[in-house]
Amino acid sequence: MDVQHSEIMLNIDNFVFPEINPIMYRQKLTTTTKPELEKILVISSYPPRECGIATYSQDLISALNNKFSSSLSLKVCALESGHKMIHYPEEVQFRLDTSQPNEYKKLAKAINHDTHIQIVLLQHEFGFFKNNEHALLEFLYELTKPVAIVFHSVLPHPTEQMKAQLKNIAGACESIVVMTNNSFGILSTDYEIPEQKISVIAHGTHLVPHLSEHFLKLKYDLKDRKVLTTFGLLSSGKSIETTIEALPAIIKKSPEVVFLIIGKTHPEVVKNEGEIYRDRLEQMVHDLKLEKHVIFINQYLALPELLEYLQLTDIYLFTTNDPNQAVSGTFAYAMSCACPIISTPIPHAREFLTKDTGIIFDFKNSKQLAEAVILLLSDDGLRRSISSNTLQSIVSTAWENSAAAHARLFEKMSNGKLKLKYDFPEINLSHLQKMTTEMGILQFSKVNQPDIESGYTLDDNARALIAAAMYFRLTKKKSTLHTISKYLHFIEYCMQPDGNLLNYVDKNKRFTEQNYETNLDDSNGRALWALGYIVSLAGELPSEFILLAEGLIEKMLPRIESIHSTRSMAFAIKGLSHYYDITKAPAISDLITVFANRLVQMYKHESEENWKWFEGYMTYANSILPEAMLHAWITTGTPIYKDIALKSFDFLLKHTFNENGIEVISNRSWWVKGEPAAKFGEQPIDVAYTIMTLSKFFDVFGIDDYKEKMTIAFNWFLGCNRLQQIIYNPCTGGCYDGLEEKNVNINQGAESTVSYLMARMTVEQYKKPTILQ
């Protein structure tokens, strides 16, 4: 891994709706002194030093800061070899010249003296401590703080001396981290390290926006080329010559091929032997007349540029000749960009590459490499399939997930001193905008690319209308009004002469046959909720929006009483209660009473001692039902509505919150009374609705447990869930479509993204003020 980390922040004032830019919203507050947090000290090489582990540590620290800045403080002890004048960033608190044995004791004393340092995280590579292993061991035993060590290399079949050395190091540490199951097996079997001491935390990968390959190839002057790429600090261990030797056979089949060799020569190689290896590669290119097919990019690229090169890559080639290389950052980066990968059989590749995610070939075997490249270049469908499978296979390794895994380890090691608190991400409408056309919001996406073929639904546009209006209410940004107008006029477009609303619209703005084959009561109920919410913002939104929403509600009223679907009535109650708050019309209160009484009768019919619910099963959007009863009580004052609201919501919460946080009812199979609840298939929309209902109950009753559960439920999006994986993608601003049995669904459709935004803006109002220094 040989890239530098780069951080880009866009100012909200530069944002022009509806262009696709991240929105960074932050409340400006009075400066207040922030209490000093407990420190985690990371001992590692660190940028600007050009080193894979340096970049790894910076990426990890950045991810930890993004997720847990209110819980912990990350500081660095930069490892150096020889005295150098290096200007480090402010997080570097200590330096250690690893070539000087006496420096180790001084560092241990300084760390022990700092009362705020709770845990030490040591990034270990044998080359760092060459000839000073004894000083390292003394240093570890000298420390009074618990140490977690990350082994970046784990060599199998060790000599007795190597085994004793590593066991001594491991013995001085409380926890051990490795990045692959293969390394875990070697440590436990070959080195006899207790398994309970070892954690496997995969090498982090970057979330990327998956930009258009065509656009990027134009940008980098690679139009109409098939691009093979490798990158990293250059050394003979990369075995780049294996690819160069394979190129003539590849070019014979695909003359449009170009091979990018990205990266400077490794600084240690330059120091010891100069540019001998690069010169040899360039001579090979010349001898084989490959000048038009090989490009050397002799730079240490900034992260954004590197990720763009990888996103335009057709095939990534990993040709290292070291069979014991446990893990590769360059390999991980390529996977994060969904590159089809052809690799030599290092443990990292054997663990992550299957026939569905890449191809493995033998070390230094140019013939096998050429055959594999030709196979992939000749089959676009296979390449696309491998790319898609690769992306799905590595989503769990995102830096955000790696950071959370490390943070949980720190919490465990702290013996109660460290209490993790997830930071709320900045509110980001980028993906919402990307999914929205002039007509409205599209229904589905393929990963994060809008799928125009999926068309539009009233359901999604009604929810999007609520989310956009919530955002406007929160920020007062006038640029949001255009988007609100789109969603509001989509509802108007769906209105039929009889006051009924159709739900399904294709990409050509035509109503589909599905409208006449499906019960649309739920869709109409959601639309009424959205319209009522808009009316409730009278005085905040433009009057023409309010008048249009009122007019649409009035068209719906003559037929709305005919709906009988449980959730349709609940959505309708929410919308009507908003409308009543403004109009105070007795007819609206009467309609709320009609629907609420129907729900009361359903509850009385189905509820019993161990089943306090409205139906003999639990399905989707369950929290809407107790919330609707609460709204009905607030509007009418009827005591039984309050009683049922509290009892049914308590029952729901009891069966959705557990040691994993929140686990909503599965969309695979509904939970039937008297039967075990189905597992897996958790949807963002159900979590979001639960958060919104908790908010309403907290506002009305002021019970802290509701507020605490709001935070627990929102953390589901941030990785505090059954799989301990993020559901919200902070890179795109989109939300993954669901939490399945063993993975997340990486598509980021309208329903999920809008649901996340509604949840995010709901919890925003309870967030403690941000302290700006």
Side-chain angles (χ1 to χ4, degrees):
M1 177 179 53
D2 308 314
V3 297
Q4 287 182 313
H5 178 82
S6 176
E7 206 169 30
I8 298 176
M9 180 169 284
L10 299 181
N11 191 310
I12 188 170
D13 296 328
N14 295 330
F15 173 75
V16 180
F17 208 93
E19 292 179 2
I20 302 173
N21 289 309
I23 292 181
M24 303 297 181
Y25 170 73
R26 182 176 291 155
Q27 201 174 6
K28 292 184 178 179
L29 299 159
T30 305
T31 300
T32 308
T33 302
K34 190 174 181 179
E36 187 167 357
L37 298 170
E38 304 296 352
K39 293 179 190 173
I40 308 297
L41 181 68
V42 181
I43 302 178
S44 173
S45 57
Y46 206 69
R49 181 173 174 179
E50 294 173 348
C51 162
I53 294 177
T55 307
Y56 170 92
S57 293
Q58 190 177 51
D59 285 340
L60 174 61
I61 288 170
S62 176
L64 282 163
N65 281 331
N66 285 337
K67 289 188 78 72
F68 301 106
S69 67
S70 58
S71 306
L72 46 85
S73 171
L74 280 298
K75 296 298 180 182
V76 176
C77 172
L79 297 178
E80 301 173 348
S81 179
H83 182 69
K84 297 178 181 178
M85 293 297 294
I86 300 177
H87 298 287
Y88 288 108
E90 62 181 1
E91 62 265 26
V92 175
Q93 181 176 349
F94 304 105
R95 301 184 186 203
L96 174 63
D97 183 348
T98 57
S99 66
Q100 299 298 316
N102 61 318
E103 295 296 314
Y104 289 79
K105 276 196 172 184
K106 292 179 183 177
L107 176 62
K109 185 177 180 180
I111 293 171
N112 291 338
H113 184 71
D114 189 329
T115 57
H116 288 287
I117 295 176
Q118 292 297 319
I119 293 167
V120 174
L121 179 67
L122 173 62
Q123 305 293 340
H124 181 276
E125 179 62 64
F126 288 101
F128 283 161
F129 308 102
K130 188 167 53 178
N131 303 322
N132 277 303
E133 292 88 352
H134 185 70
L136 171 65
L137 191 58
E138 283 189 343
F139 164 75
L140 291 172
Y141 278 105
E142 191 82 19
L143 288 175
T144 58
K145 312 296 173 86
V147 178
I149 189 166
V150 182
F151 284 120
H152 287 256
S153 293
V154 181
L155 301 178
H157 316 300
T159 64
E160 286 302 316
Q161 182 181 355
M162 288 171 57
K163 181 176 178 179
Q165 180 186 347
L166 190 141
K167 287 188 74 172
N168 284 334
I169 292 172
C173 300
E174 184 170 318
S175 296
I176 298 167
V177 175
V178 292
M179 299 181 202
T180 65
N181 291 317
N182 179 74
S183 293
F184 178 94
I186 293 171
L187 281 184
S188 63
T189 303
D190 293 9
Y191 292 89
E192 300 173 352
I193 305 295
E195 291 187 358
Q196 65 270 21
K197 197 171 186 176
I198 310 169
S199 299
V200 179
I201 303 178
H203 191 297
T205 54
H206 290 280
L207 298 172
V208 298
H210 300 290
L211 302 173
S212 161
E213 179 185 314
H214 176 72
F215 164 78
L216 290 173
K217 285 185 176 180
L218 284 175
K219 177 177 177 178
Y220 290 100
D221 199 25
L222 293 167
K223 182 184 177 185
D224 299 327
R225 304 298 295 268
K226 292 292 186 186
V227 180
L228 314 178
T229 301
T230 193
F231 86 93
L233 290 172
L234 213 59
S235 69
S236 59
K238 301 285 187 184
S239 196
I240 305 297
E241 62 273 14
T242 302
T243 302
I244 294 174
E245 290 168 357
L247 279 177
I250 295 169
I251 291 165
K252 188 175 181 180
K253 293 286 187 180
S254 300
E256 72 277 20
V257 159
V258 61
F259 177 39
L260 305 183
I261 304 170
I262 302 174
K264 295 169 63 175
T265 303
H266 197 291
E268 293 298 314
V269 173
V270 172
K271 184 168 68 175
N272 295 324
E273 60 184 58
E275 294 285 4
I276 292 175
Y277 182 62
R278 182 181 296 274
D279 293 343
R280 181 155 61 88
L281 294 178
E282 291 178 349
Q283 187 61 48
M284 285 182 67
V285 170
H286 175 75
D287 293 344
L288 292 170
K289 297 181 172 53
L290 296 172
E291 289 90 342
K292 293 182 179 179
H293 299 278
V294 178
I295 299 174
F296 289 88
I297 302 175
N298 186 12
Q299 298 176 51
Y300 197 80
L301 296 182
L303 181 62
E305 188 176 4
L306 172 66
L307 294 177
E308 288 191 345
Y309 270 112
L310 290 175
Q311 288 175 80
L312 64 79
T313 294
D314 292 283
I315 303 173
Y316 184 80
L317 304 177
F318 186 78
T319 56
T320 183
N321 56 23
D322 180 5
N324 294 322
Q325 184 173 349
V327 69
S328 165
T330 62
F331 184 93
Y333 277 42
M335 292 191 78
S336 72
C337 293
C339 296
I341 298 176
I342 300 174
S343 174
T344 48
I346 66 165
H348 197 176
R350 291 201 308 270
E351 192 161 312
F352 278 88
L353 291 189
T354 67
K355 62 181 178 62
D356 297 320
T357 56
I359 298 174
I360 291 177
F361 74 102
D362 293 334
F363 294 104
K364 299 184 179 181
N365 194 322
S366 296
K367 183 175 182 295
Q368 284 184 7
L369 175 58
E371 290 170 350
V373 171
I374 290 167
L375 171 66
L376 290 185
L377 289 181
S378 65
D379 191 335
D380 291 347
L382 176 60
R383 221 166 51 250
R384 283 194 297 270
S385 175
I386 287 176
S387 177
S388 176
N389 293 336
T390 296
L391 197 58
Q392 180 66 70
S393 72
I394 57 91
V395 66
S396 64
T397 68
W399 275 115
E400 288 74 9
N401 291 328
S402 176
H406 279 86
R408 288 191 296 271
L409 178 62
F410 300 154
E411 186 176 42
K412 180 181 176 183
M413 292 173 64
S414 75
N415 295 319
K417 292 180 181 178
L418 175 61
K419 298 294 184 184
L420 289 181
K421 180 183 177 184
Y422 286 79
D423 294 348
F424 290 168
E426 299 286 356
I427 298 171
N428 181 354
L429 301 191
S430 296
H431 194 59
L432 182 80
Q433 302 156 36
K434 189 174 184 178
M435 292 287 291
T436 300
T437 70
E438 284 304 310
M439 179 67 177
I441 192 166
L442 290 165
Q443 188 174 187
F444 299 135
S445 75
K446 296 177 179 178
V447 188
N448 69 319
Q449 301 303 314
D451 181 9
I452 186 68
E453 297 300 323
S454 67
Y456 309 85
T457 66
L458 174 65
D459 289 331
D460 290 329
N461 280 272
R463 285 186 287 259
L465 176 60
I466 294 170
M470 290 174 75
Y471 182 76
F472 177 79
R473 193 177 193 189
L474 187 65
T475 67
K476 297 297 185 288
K477 287 188 67 67
K478 293 182 179 179
S479 54
T480 317
L481 296 175
H482 179 56
T483 300
I484 293 173
S485 177
K486 288 182 184 180
Y487 303 143
L488 182 57
H489 282 94
F490 184 91
I491 296 178
E492 181 185 32
Y493 185 81
C494 292
M495 178 64 73
Q496 302 302 293
D498 64 355
N500 183 48
L501 291 159
L502 298 183
N503 187 39
Y504 301 100
V505 180
D506 69 16
K507 66 178 182 180
N508 297 313
K509 305 180 183 179
R510 297 176 302 207
F511 293 110
T512 70
E513 288 301 313
Q514 198 172 355
N515 287 293
Y516 311 104
E517 301 165 354
T518 309
N519 187 311
L520 301 181
D521 282 358
D522 277 10
S523 303
N524 279 255
R526 289 187 190 93
L528 184 54
W529 169 28
L531 293 169
Y533 181 67
I534 293 299
V535 172
S536 75
L537 300 183
E540 297 184 62
L541 289 174
S543 58
E544 58 266 31
F545 288 5
I546 307 302
L547 290 172
L548 177 55
E550 286 178 337
L552 293 171
I553 289 174
E554 290 299 326
K555 284 185 179 179
M556 295 180 74
L557 289 179
R559 65 159 300 279
I560 200 68
E561 190 174 339
S562 66
I563 67 173
H564 285 80
S565 165
T566 313
R567 281 151 191 79
S568 308
M569 293 190 292
F571 284 124
I573 288 173
K574 285 189 68 173
L576 291 168
S577 67
H578 285 309
Y579 194 43
Y580 178 80
D581 288 342
I582 299 299
T583 64
K584 302 300 181 185
I588 301 302
S589 177
D590 292 344
L591 195 50
I592 290 172
T593 300
V594 169
F595 288 136
N597 284 342
R598 289 178 188 172
L599 292 176
V600 169
Q601 292 307 310
M602 295 176 70
Y603 181 84
K604 287 182 175 180
H605 183 266
E606 290 293 343
S607 69
E608 50 192 55
E609 184 176 353
N610 296 315
W611 187 265
K612 304 294 184 183
W613 201 242
F614 304 83
E615 300 161 308
Y617 45 81
M618 278 192 161
T619 60
Y620 61 93
N622 293 299
S623 70
I624 292 296
L625 304 182
E627 187 183 353
M629 298 307 296
L630 183 59
H631 277 281
W633 171 66
I634 293 169
T635 300
T636 68
T638 306
I640 194 172
Y641 298 165
K642 174 187 174 184
D643 181 60
I644 290 175
L646 288 167
K647 287 180 179 177
S648 60
F649 195 42
D650 181 62
F651 175 74
L652 176 64
L653 295 178
K654 191 176 295 183
H655 291 281
T656 50
F657 283 84
N658 56 35
E659 66 278 3
N660 293 325
I662 184 172
E663 289 188 52
V664 292
I665 304 301
S666 168
N667 73 333
R668 291 184 175 187
S669 177
W670 308 134
W671 179 24
V672 178
K673 180 166 56 174
E675 297 181 8
K679 296 290 185 181
F680 321 124
E682 300 168 54
Q683 300 295 293
I685 191 169
D686 286 308
V687 178
Y689 281 164
T690 303
I691 289 169
M692 297 176 83
T693 301
L694 284 163
S695 170
K696 188 65 179 178
F697 272 70
F698 176 74
D699 289 348
V700 172
F701 299 111
I703 298 172
D704 287 340
D705 186 57
Y706 293 139
K707 187 177 178 183
E708 290 166 8
K709 281 185 167 62
M710 245 188 289
T711 300
I712 292 170
F714 186 75
N715 287 346
W716 182 89
F717 290 100
L718 307 182
C720 190
N721 52 52
R722 179 174 45 79
L723 292 184
Q724 298 182 335
Q725 294 185 32
I726 56 168
I727 308 299
Y728 169 66
N729 184 323
C731 173
T732 64
C735 180
Y736 296 134
D737 277 351
L739 188 68
E740 306 302 338
E741 181 176 358
K742 296 179 180 178
N743 61 277
V744 297
N745 179 339
I746 61 174
N747 294 323
Q748 298 162 49
E751 177 184 291
S752 302
T753 295
V754 170
S755 295
Y756 166 80
L757 287 171
M758 289 194 295
R760 175 65 186 87
M761 286 180 281
T762 298
V763 298
E764 179 70 13
Q765 61 189 309
Y766 306 103
K767 197 171 74 168
K768 288 183 179 179
T770 302
I771 307 299
L772 298 182
Q773 298 295 337

